[in-house]
């Protein structure tokens, strides 16, 4: 059985040599899912039948592109025609989209084989995947801890070798934080770099799709396949997509990397500080110049995010009314009753909490004090980064304040849960690209460092992350909890 | 106490685009339910809107035609509310940055020219339609209309009577049609009108409490609804009662207004900028191009028809009410000596024919040049006016040239004096009584003789000539 953690380039070479077929890889994926997913619970849907049909079609043919014939999975908030897309919510439990997301179309066109849809916090609202309307996903490094969220299923599936790569979505850290918790690479591209068409909206001005992979090189390969303008998404940007592989030179001499005073001034977890200090040393050793920068409005980021995102969500999620698709309460007496019962039963607690916050923030008389003010803060945060990027090429930060926490540890206290995204949220507010790369273990659990780049400068982000990865041995480390053979 | 009526209108006009405003579905009235729908206009999870440039262009053209200032930088907002015909549970509209503002429309109220201010013109999408089943306890939603592009036009409270409101609407409709922005068919819902109305003592500046009237689905009903509401408010104020701010529905059957909701039930639409759509930034050249798309507007055309063609105001009004009619007249009048003849025929026989056939003049097989030729044949005496009307009927249904019909049916007017004189002599000989009457001073008696000649010639005799010949022959006798 093939090991799917060897990296996309290696899988591609195997296919090219003819020793291994797409069917072998797809079968390996399903075998691994069959062996361990009952424990990890990363998948909401597996598309075994369709995947095997597709893989058989490909059997014996030499791959066209680097992703051709290679299995992958999608977070369950990306529309897949004919395949359930639940968004981790009971309200869409049986929902089958009539169309596919642009990213699905692009991976499909590149020859990718979809093996299934991955668990997530309901409507991408959460940081642990415990808010899934179905079941929580476990962290492959320690099944008693969370995989992070909201793309927890994607991170866990890649970390445990069930798929070589997956796509997640990142609204406030939902790719990077679970990548860090599960010891894999997670890239959030610049807002507008990857089409959102077919991504079920949580907070439209913040959502962005990106890859979760074993290596930085794999992240570059997958980004290459999904990036670029899409006429169906007016917020996607019509800029040329550079060749990301050529950016991976391993050379970061002279690169200026900013250390935000405002991030490190916090009473950071001692273990995390140690890991961060070590990572800084590695970057210095590679010839990068580390410079202190200021991001003075950081302390307002969380508050601004928790007004803007719920406000947009309250509007985006209003369409789940039981009229056209999805769950509808059967025992309603009239229209209003149908809305009330459908939405009360269909949505989980955290989703309802954010809908209420967002509805309040947009209400007449409160709009200026909350939503508008939050947007002003957002502008200030964007300017903070712009100012920093006048002096540096990248900004360095932890991905999350800690490693993965225990299941149930924070579910009763949403505010503490929100704090786990404190280093990732400002990046979404500013729309910037950022990557999380494994940078060590703290008490046996993976930690991630984050590199944040200028608008549309994923190339530099990937270059530095790749150089760091090559210089260390943290990437590709395999979790022991689900059998070290992965 | 004399009361002044204050009316402001909110008008929704569907834009005549090929496709919907944010997706590629056809914008077409009357298709079977839910046949012009796609994931985007059905609000499927994950879809995104993409602005139809044609809708934007028509919206700007409308704003310019209504003398508005066009915003160089505007945006779309979401208007949030739950209703089954509203697939996303928000309508994409424009809240505080409409595409056009500060415009006006001029109307003629009797002899007086009145200027009605246009507060704003903004772009938005239409909702679907609920159909309540007749024999079951259910409602069905048709989303064909969901996402059809609309402009909402809001007038200033400058309108002073129900009649003025109707005149304003007629002018607005004509402007929209002239600019090919909309067909403005109230019966198909491509023009819809809500009205705000209040009363105040003459001379008072502050406005009285207003009510809003909805569901007035024809120009006539707009006038009736407003007249009804004006008298209702006047009676209440007269009795010392106060008006409460309400939304009312015009009920055609009872010819009254019925309360829909009171102010307390007003929605909070929680408007905010739509994050899925970038700001609309317009280049000067783009706006100028839209301005060049605006043809001569109805009021200018009316003036030209009166001054240039010397038509009476009434004719000019009728002929310019629809662009197709005015175009038709213009094209005909170019090729005739007396435009009034063309006006008479168009307003008379031709409009009567079109109304009976339910056709638009644009689809009439007879083209203006052909009509002008027919008028020319009357002017040069080839056929009589009476024959011309018969020929016209044939032309309108077949599209054939006048000459072809005249030749086919042998309708050329007899202007040969020798031939007419021969017939006249026979008629005079056979009608001694008419001759005697004429000689006795009854001038009308000649009519009977002319009629006889017409009968013998099947109407083809030149009437002026035959009159002259008969008079001469009797005097010579
Ligand atoms: Zn559509």
């Amino acid at each position: 059985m093939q090991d799917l953690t060897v990296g996309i380039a290696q899988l591609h070479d195997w296919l090219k040599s003819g020793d291994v077929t797409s069917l072998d890889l797809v079968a390996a994926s399903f075998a691994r899912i069959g062996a361990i997913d009952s424990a990890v619970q990363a998948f909401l849907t597996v598309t075994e039948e369709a995947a095997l049909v597709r893989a058989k079609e490909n059997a014996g043919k030499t791959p066209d592109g680097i992703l051709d014939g290679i299995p992958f999975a999608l977070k369950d908030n990306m529309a897949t025609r004919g395949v359930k897309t639940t968004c981790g919510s009971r309200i869409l439990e049986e929902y089958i989209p009539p169309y596919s997301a642009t990213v699905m179309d692009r991976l499909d066109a590149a020859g990718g084989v979809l093996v299934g849809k991955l668990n997530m916090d309901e409507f991408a609202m959460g940081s642990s995947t415990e808010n899934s309307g179905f079941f929580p996903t476990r962290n492959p490094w320690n099944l008693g801890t969370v995989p992070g969220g909201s793309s927890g299923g994607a991170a866990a599936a890649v970390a445990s070798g069930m798929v070589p790569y997956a796509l997640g979505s990142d609204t406030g850290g939902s790719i990077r934080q679970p990548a860090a918790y599960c010891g894999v690479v997670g890239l959030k591209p610049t807002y507008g770099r990857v089409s959102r068409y077919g991504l079920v909206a949580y907070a439209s001005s913040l959502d962005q799709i990106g890859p979760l992979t074993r290596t930085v090189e794999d992240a570059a390969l997958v980004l290459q396949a999904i990036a670029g303008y899409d006429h169906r998404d007016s917020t996607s940007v019509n800029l040329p997509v550079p060749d990301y592989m050529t950016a991976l030179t391993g050379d970061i001499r002279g690169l200026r990397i900013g250390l935000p005073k405002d991030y490190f001034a916090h009473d950071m977890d001692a273990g995390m500080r140690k890991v961060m200090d070590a990572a800084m040393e590695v970057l210095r050793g590679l010839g990068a110049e580390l410079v202190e920068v200021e991001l003075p409005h950081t302390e307002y980021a969380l508050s601004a995010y928790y007004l803007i995102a719920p406000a947009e969500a309250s509007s985006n999620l209003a369409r789940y009314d039981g009229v056209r698709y999805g769950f509808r309460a059967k025992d309603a007496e009239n229209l209003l009753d149908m809305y009330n019962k459908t939405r009360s039963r269909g949505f989980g607690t955290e989703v309802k909490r954010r809908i209420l916050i967002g509805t309040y923030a947009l209400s007449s008389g409160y709009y200026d004090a909350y939503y508008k003010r939050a947007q002003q803060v957002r502008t200030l945060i964007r300017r903070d980064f712009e100012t920093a990027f006048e002096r540096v090429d990248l900004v360095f930060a932890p991905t999350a304040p800690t490693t993965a926490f225990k299941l149930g540890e924070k579910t009763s206290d949403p505010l503490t849960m929100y704090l786990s995204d404190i280093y990732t949220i400002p990046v979404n507010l500013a729309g910037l690209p950022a990557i999380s790369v494994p940078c060590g273990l703290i008490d046996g659990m993976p930690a991630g460092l984050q590199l944040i780049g200028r608008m549309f400068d994923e190339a530099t982000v990937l270059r530095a992350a790749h150089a760091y990865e090559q210089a260390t041995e943290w990437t590709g480390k395999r979790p022991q909890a689900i059998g070290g053979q992965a | 106490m004399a009361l002044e009526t204050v009316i402001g209108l909110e008008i929704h006009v569907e834009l005549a685009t090929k496709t919907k405003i944010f997706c590629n579905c056809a914008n077409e009235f009357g298709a079977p339910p839910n046949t012009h729908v796609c994931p985007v206009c059905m609000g499927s999870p994950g879809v995104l809107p993409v602005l139809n440039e044609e809708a934007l262009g028509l919206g700007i053209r409308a704003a310019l035609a209504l003398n508005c200032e066009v915003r160089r930088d505007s945006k779309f907002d979401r208007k949030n509310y739950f209703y089954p015909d509203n697939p996303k549970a928000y309508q994409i509209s424009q809240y505080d940055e409409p595409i056009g503002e500060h415009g006006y429309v001029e109307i003629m109220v009797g002899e007086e020219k009145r200027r009605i201010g246009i507060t704003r013109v903004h772009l938005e999408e239409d909702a679907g339609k609920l159909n309540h089943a007749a024999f079951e306890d259910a409602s069905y939603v048709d989303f064909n209309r969901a996402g059809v592009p609309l402009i909402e036009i809001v007038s200033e409270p400058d309108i002073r009577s129900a009649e003025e409101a109707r005149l304003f609407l007629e002018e607005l409709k004509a402007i929209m049609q002239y600019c090919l922005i909309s067909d403005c068919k109230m019966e198909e819902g491509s023009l819809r009108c809500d009205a705000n109305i209040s009363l105040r003592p003459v001379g008072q500046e502050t406005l009285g409490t207003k009510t809003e009237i909805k569901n007035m689905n024809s120009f006539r009903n707009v006038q009736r609804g407003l007249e009804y509401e004006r008298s209702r408010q006047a009676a209440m104020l007269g009795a010392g009662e106060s008006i409460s701010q309400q939304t009312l529905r015009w009920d055609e059957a009872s010819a009254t207004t019925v309360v829909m909701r009171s102010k307390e039930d007003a929605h909070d639409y929680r408007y905010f900028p739509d994050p899925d759509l970038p700001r609309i930034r317009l280049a000067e050249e783009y706006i100028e191009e839209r301005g060049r798309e605006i043809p001569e507007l109805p009021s200018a055309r009316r003036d030209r028809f009166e001054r240039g063609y010397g038509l009476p105001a009434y004719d000019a009004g009728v002929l310019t009410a629809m662009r197709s009619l005015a175009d038709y007249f213009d094209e005909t009048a170019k090729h005739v000596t007396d435009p009034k003849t063309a006006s008479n025929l168009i307003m008379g026989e031709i409009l009567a024919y079109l109304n009976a056939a339910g056709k638009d003049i644009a689809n009439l097989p007879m083209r203006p040049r052909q009509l002008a030729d027919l008028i020319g044949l009357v002017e040069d005496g080839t056929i009589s006016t009476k024959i011309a009307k018969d020929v016209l009927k044939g032309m309108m249904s077949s599209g054939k040239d006048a000459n072809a019909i005249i030749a086919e049916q042998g309708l050329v007017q007899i202007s040969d004096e020798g031939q007419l004189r021969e017939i006249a002599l026979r008629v005079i000989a056979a009608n001694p009584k008419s001759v005697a009457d004429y000689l006795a001073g009854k001038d009308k008696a000649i009519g009977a003789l002319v009629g006889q000649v017409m009968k013998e010639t099947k109407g083809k005799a030149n009437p002026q000539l035959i009159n002259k010949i008969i008079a001469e022959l009797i005097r010579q006798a």
Side-chain angles (χ1 to χ4, degrees):
Chain A
M1 211 40 89
Q2 282 72 30
D3 177 357
L4 298 177
T5 70
V6 294
I8 290 170
Q10 179 65 68
L11 296 172
H12 176 67
D13 283 346
W14 287 348
L15 289 172
K16 230 170 33 185
S17 71
D19 298 343
V20 168
T21 67
S22 174
L23 187 58
D24 295 331
L25 299 182
V26 171
S29 176
F30 287 120
R32 186 80 178 134
I33 293 168
I36 61 168
D37 201 40
S38 55
V40 178
Q41 303 195 85
F43 280 86
L44 288 174
T45 303
V46 284
T47 51
E48 191 157 2
E49 213 171 303
L52 290 175
V53 166
R54 191 174 159 89
K56 277 175 195 154
E57 282 167 12
N58 289 344
K61 103 180 202 321
T62 33
D64 283 336
I66 187 97
L67 299 181
D68 196 2
I70 295 178
F72 71 96
L74 295 177
K75 186 178 182 179
D76 208 20
N77 59 352
M78 291 168 225
T80 40
R81 181 152 34 107
V83 176
K84 274 202 286 186
T85 299
T86 67
C87 253
S89 181
R90 292 277 174 196
I91 211 160
L92 289 177
E93 187 167 2
E94 301 299 332
Y95 176 65
I96 297 176
Y99 75 104
S100 282
T102 296
V103 288
M104 177 62 209
D105 284 345
R106 289 192 176 173
L107 290 179
D108 190 57
V113 183
L114 179 76
V115 298
K117 305 294 292 288
L118 296 159
N119 199 14
M120 56 185 286
D121 286 299
E122 183 177 7
F123 284 102
M125 297 180 191
S127 310
S128 68
T129 314
E130 290 164 296
N131 294 338
S132 164
F134 304 106
F135 44 77
T137 296
R138 314 283 174 140
N139 190 317
W141 290 79
N142 176 346
L143 296 174
T145 65
V146 302
S150 62
S151 311
V158 173
S160 57
M162 293 192 265
V163 280
Y165 72 94
L167 296 187
S169 69
D170 191 318
T171 306
S174 281
I175 290 174
R176 291 160 289 159
Q177 184 254 28
Y181 281 11
C182 292
V184 297
V185 173
L187 173 68
K188 181 200 97 72
T190 311
Y191 184 80
R193 180 57 102 186
V194 177
S195 170
R196 292 187 296 117
Y197 186 76
L199 171 67
V200 181
Y202 157 26
S204 315
S205 73
L206 300 159
D207 297 341
Q208 187 65 193
I209 294 172
L212 291 105
T213 56
R214 306 288 310 183
T215 65
V216 175
E217 181 184 287
D218 286 359
L221 290 170
V222 177
L223 178 63
Q224 197 79 52
I226 60 172
Y229 176 67
D230 175 12
H231 67 93
R232 291 178 292 187
D233 175 2
S234 308
T235 63
S236 76
V237 177
N238 201 350
L239 281 176
V241 178
D243 181 350
Y244 294 120
M245 284 304 284
T246 60
L248 308 184
T249 58
D251 182 4
I252 56 165
R253 279 172 300 172
L255 198 71
R256 294 172 66 90
I257 299 178
L259 306 173
K261 206 168 80 181
D262 314 86
Y263 287 15
F264 291 96
H266 282 264
D267 39 353
M268 190 182 281
D269 173 83
M272 186 61 72
R273 176 167 293 279
K274 217 173 119 194
V275 166
M276 288 298 127
D277 286 344
M280 287 178 210
E281 270 320 302
V282 172
L283 290 167
R284 268 196 207 99
L286 288 166
E289 195 182 331
L290 272 59
V291 187
E292 191 168 83
V293 291
E294 286 180 34
L295 298 171
H297 296 95
T298 299
E299 61 175 308
Y300 307 111
L302 213 58
S303 314
Y305 175 86
Y306 278 102
L307 288 167
I308 294 169
E312 293 181 5
S314 72
S315 173
N316 284 329
L317 273 61
R319 69 187 61 192
Y320 308 110
D321 56 8
V323 174
R324 283 146 294 126
Y325 47 72
F327 169 73
R328 179 197 291 182
K330 295 275 181 284
D331 54 342
E333 317 224 314
N334 54 45
L335 181 63
L336 186 63
D337 195 40
M338 181 181 97
Y339 287 153
N340 284 339
K341 285 184 172 147
T342 297
R343 291 168 63 80
S344 299
R345 295 174 195 166
F347 289 136
T349 310
E350 183 62 25
V351 170
K352 281 186 247 184
R353 180 174 9 252
R354 294 195 198 185
I355 290 174
L356 287 174
I357 293 171
T359 303
Y360 187 78
L362 290 175
S363 296
S364 135
Y366 297 96
Y367 179 90
D368 285 357
Y370 294 113
Y371 185 78
K372 200 172 162 193
R373 186 130 193 153
Q375 289 291 6
Q376 287 162 345
V377 169
R378 183 176 186 173
T379 303
L380 294 175
I381 286 167
R382 189 179 292 140
R383 287 206 192 122
D384 279 357
F385 278 105
E386 278 165 13
T387 309
F389 283 124
E390 284 167 15
R391 298 181 52 221
V392 298
D393 303 302
L394 290 172
V395 168
F396 172 101
T399 303
T402 64
T403 56
F405 45 88
K406 290 194 188 70
L407 268 112
E409 187 181 328
K410 298 187 178 180
T411 40
S412 58
D413 184 359
L415 279 179
T416 323
M417 184 82 88
Y418 295 171
L419 283 171
S420 65
D421 294 328
I422 192 153
Y423 300 123
T424 46
I425 275 174
V427 178
N428 296 78
L429 289 171
L432 303 168
I435 200 166
S436 177
V437 192
C439 69
L441 297 175
I442 302 171
D443 300 329
M445 291 300 284
L449 72 79
Q450 186 179 202
L451 292 167
I452 305 160
R454 295 189 179 96
M455 291 294 275
F456 299 101
D457 192 13
E458 285 84 358
T460 303
V461 170
L462 288 164
R463 171 158 67 103
H466 176 252
Y468 172 82
E469 180 189 69
Q470 296 302 304
T472 58
E473 292 184 345
W474 304 118
T475 284
K477 281 236 178 273
R478 291 157 192 207
Q480 303 303 308
I482 36 82
Q485 92 272 18
Chain B
M1 179 179 55
L3 292 171
E4 180 182 45
T5 309
V6 179
I7 296 169
L9 300 180
E10 281 179 29
I11 297 132
H12 286 89
V13 172
E14 284 183 354
L15 303 176
T17 51
K18 284 185 280 302
T19 55
K20 293 185 180 182
I21 186 166
F22 296 120
C23 65
N24 289 323
C25 291
N27 171 14
E28 183 199 23
F29 180 81
N34 298 312
T35 51
H36 292 327
V37 294
C38 71
V40 174
C41 56
M42 290 282 281
S44 293
V47 296
L48 296 169
V50 176
L51 177 61
N52 173 354
E53 269 216 35
E54 192 191 5
L56 175 66
L58 288 183
I60 295 167
R61 196 192 292 173
L64 291 171
L66 300 174
N67 303 297
C68 286
E69 290 162 24
V70 171
R71 264 184 194 267
R72 271 55 179 167
D73 187 0
S74 64
K75 66 176 165 69
F76 283 104
D77 300 284
R78 292 185 183 179
K79 178 180 181 177
N80 296 284
Y81 66 95
F82 286 96
Y83 204 63
D85 66 6
N86 182 18
K88 301 183 295 300
Y90 61 81
Q91 177 195 28
I92 303 178
S93 181
Q94 293 191 290
Y95 179 52
D96 53 350
E97 297 177 19
I99 195 94
E101 291 166 291
H102 315 304
Y104 63 86
V105 168
E106 284 179 341
I107 55 170
M108 292 303 294
V109 182
E111 293 298 297
E112 189 199 355
K113 187 178 264 184
R114 297 259 294 116
R115 181 176 279 204
I116 310 297
I118 300 292
T119 315
R120 57 185 282 160
V121 174
H122 74 247
L123 280 161
E124 60 186 26
E125 59 179 339
D126 211 341
K129 227 176 184 170
L130 278 191
N131 296 315
H132 303 286
F135 300 109
E136 46 181 329
D137 185 18
S139 297
Y140 293 91
V141 202
D142 176 5
F143 290 103
N144 282 350
R145 202 179 67 178
V148 163
L150 289 178
I151 46 171
E152 180 176 322
I153 300 165
V154 181
S155 89
E156 289 287 303
D158 289 345
I159 299 166
R160 291 291 169 268
S161 71
E163 192 204 356
E164 270 186 45
R166 197 203 71 232
L167 290 169
F168 171 79
L169 274 179
E170 282 170 357
E171 187 67 19
L172 190 81
K173 174 177 170 172
I175 293 171
M176 294 297 126
Q177 289 181 335
Y178 268 56
C179 296
L180 306 177
I181 289 163
S182 173
D183 58 12
C184 291
K185 289 183 181 163
M186 258 187 132
E187 67 280 13
E188 291 183 4
S190 62
L191 186 151
R192 307 196 281 273
C193 176
D194 301 332
N196 288 300
I197 174 167
S198 63
L199 303 183
R200 66 182 168 191
V202 171
Q204 180 182 304
E205 276 223 13
T206 50
L207 294 167
T209 305
K210 67 177 178 186
T211 55
E212 185 184 3
I213 318 176
K214 292 182 175 289
N215 196 42
M216 300 174 291
N217 51 14
S218 68
F219 284 13
R220 183 165 161 269
N221 277 329
V222 169
Q223 187 165 352
R224 286 173 74 201
L226 285 167
E227 267 159 11
Y228 173 86
E229 184 58 16
R230 191 207 60 78
S231 2
R232 190 188 71 90
Q233 288 190 13
M236 284 183 74
L237 293 172
E241 294 172 50
S242 58
I243 309 294
S244 46
Q245 190 171 332
Q246 288 170 327
T247 301
L248 310 168
R249 183 173 58 80
W250 170 248
D251 182 61
E252 200 181 349
S254 65
T256 57
T257 53
V258 183
V259 178
M260 273 174 79
R261 58 175 178 262
S262 64
K263 192 191 175 189
E264 293 72 44
D265 310 325
H267 280 117
D268 180 355
Y269 290 117
R270 290 173 284 117
Y271 282 101
F272 75 105
D274 192 329
D276 289 331
L277 289 160
R279 294 192 67 89
I280 311 165
R281 296 206 168 86
L282 301 172
E284 290 306 316
E285 310 85 78
Y286 181 80
I287 299 172
E288 282 162 20
E289 257 174 63
R290 303 289 80 75
R292 284 195 291 274
E293 290 164 357
I294 296 175
E296 184 186 29
L297 291 179
S299 56
R301 211 157 196 188
R302 238 169 358 246
D303 284 353
R304 183 164 61 76
F305 279 16
E306 286 184 48
R307 292 203 199 110
Y309 294 129
L311 293 184
Y314 176 79
D315 290 35
V318 173
L319 291 174
T320 55
M322 279 190 300
R323 180 177 171 182
S324 51
L325 196 62
D327 285 347
Y328 198 98
F329 172 77
D330 243 343
E331 204 44 44
T332 310
K334 267 190 219 163
H335 305 287
V336 300
T337 358
D338 183 11
K340 178 64 178 149
T341 313
S343 168
N344 288 345
L345 287 176
I346 291 174
M347 297 201 309
E349 279 73 12
I350 297 178
L351 274 187
Y353 172 83
L354 291 170
N355 286 340
K359 277 190 193 162
D360 187 279
I361 197 158
N363 305 322
L364 190 65
M366 176 183 73
R367 302 317 307 146
R369 185 66 213 229
Q370 294 173 296
L371 175 61
D373 289 346
L374 175 71
I375 294 169
L377 292 172
V378 177
E379 284 172 350
D380 70 11
T382 309
I383 52 171
S384 65
T385 309
K386 186 174 169 300
I387 296 258
K389 288 183 180 173
D390 291 337
V391 175
L392 182 62
K393 277 194 194 106
M395 293 171 75
M396 285 193 287
S397 55
S398 69
K400 286 184 187 162
D401 282 347
N403 279 321
I405 294 175
I406 291 165
E408 270 172 28
Q409 304 184 13
L411 296 175
V412 176
Q413 182 160 272
I414 303 167
S415 298
D416 175 357
E417 262 192 64
Q419 195 186 343
L420 289 176
R421 194 175 287 267
E422 228 174 81
I423 302 166
L425 281 169
R426 267 206 313 274
V427 167
I428 288 169
N431 292 280
K433 180 159 188 310
S434 295
V435 174
D437 285 350
Y438 180 69
L439 289 171
K442 286 186 187 164
D443 282 355
K444 278 186 190 163
I446 200 168
L449 297 167
V450 171
Q452 281 302 312
V453 174
M454 283 298 180
K455 201 173 166 188
E456 285 212 15
T457 59
K458 295 191 177 108
K460 290 186 286 182
N462 180 325
Q464 282 85 36
L465 201 54
I466 197 72
N467 253 296
K468 194 187 100 195
I469 291 170
I470 291 175
E472 276 172 18
L473 286 174
I474 296 176
R475 258 181 266 120
Q476 285 165 10

